[in-house]
Amino acid sequence: MDNAMLNRFYEDNVKMTRDETSQNVNFVTPLVNDILQYVHERDKRFQIQPLNVGSYYSHLKVSRADEFDYSVVLDAGSSFRWSTGTPAYYGFNESNEVVKSSIPLPSAPVGKCFTQIVGTIPKWNNERSNEGPACLTIALVSEAVNRPQIRQYVDAKRLSESPAATLTISHPNIAGGTISVDLAPIIKLHIPFKPEFGWPRSRARWPSWAKIEEIKADGIHEVAKDPFYWSLSFVMCEKKLLDGIDSNGTCRKKSQRIMKKLRESWCPKGTKQVITSYHLKNILFWECENRPSDAEWTNEQLSVRIESMCYLLIQHIQRGNLPLYFHTGVNLLENKDRDVLNQVVQNIFKFLNNLKMQL
């Protein structure tokens, strides 16, 4: 694999234009602040200051600054801890009362709503919505967007399989067309990692002890799901792990961004994207743990790392198991279409065998 060719590909296809990025960020930031100020005034449980998450704020965005993700912090008003005994599912019934069960509740997405946490899950007795926090977030955001000063260029809708409120923004001050902004409710629980999560691994030499302690100190949070249920969220763990990952001039994020751009040609057009940027983020984390030395991540090693991550991804696809980095009991390839995954593998092999043509 050729370093010079990969660097040209990065410059021509991966890097974002600085002026366009600045223009879009300067437009999005005050708009989101205004919307969340409105949401907070309508319901004090939602905090004004969001958590900046997603690929842009982790410096992993590719090509254009056209997508921004924020977690809207919900004040749960209680402390939480892991319980012992039978795993429990928490949700809301038709009367908006919190209910607990040892088995998944009706319509509960198995594998997504498992909490086994003791604490006070907020009730949602609110006249604007009887469907739980996710729908309430969307309702309040929609109200904020419907104000005369912004409704002419901002549209709010619900993602098809997500509790997030999605804003589609069209405005003359936006460079390159439209911008998508996702707002999803999150509860900052700060609950500790459990031993069965398999992180941190005792013999791993990456990340550093200081980084591990920083992540453990913040702990695990929860995000709203479908729309009554809550799922463990490692989004802030991942963000902290990425912070400073290239402080010594390494190419970890650059490698990840190239992989994300290459993914666009690996996933068959017209099919559901079975390999997402989140899969590739976890591949990066596993590669970093497998190759902990900064000397293995210099710019001169860029092609070596890209090739290695390609084969690592192939290996996990062929096994049918890509463990979540922070919770190895979660298989990110579970229930993925095997035929489409096999096609992805073939496309990666084509890339590896003929780099010049593929790039």
Side-chain angles (χ1 to χ4, degrees), residues 328-340:
T328 55
V330 176
N331 177 12
L332 296 176
L333 296 179
E334 187 176 6
N335 300 323
K336 298 296 183 181
D337 189 305
R338 293 301 309 171
D339 291 335
V340 179

Side-chain angles (χ1 to χ4, degrees), residues 114 173 245 254 267 286:
F114 172 71
N173 290 342
I245 199 172
K254 183 177 182 179
C267 295
W286 285 114

Side-chain angles (χ1 to χ4, degrees), residues 47-58:
Q47 296 181 11
I48 298 174
Q49 184 63 44
L51 301 178
N52 300 331
V53 297
S55 59
Y56 173 76
Y57 289 106
S58 295

Side-chain angles (χ1 to χ4, degrees), residues 152-169:
Q152 58 187 324
Y153 54 84
V154 181
D155 177 46
K157 63 180 180 180
R158 181 176 179 179
L159 284 175
S160 58
E161 296 181 358
S162 168
T166 299
L167 310 181
T168 302
I169 307 169

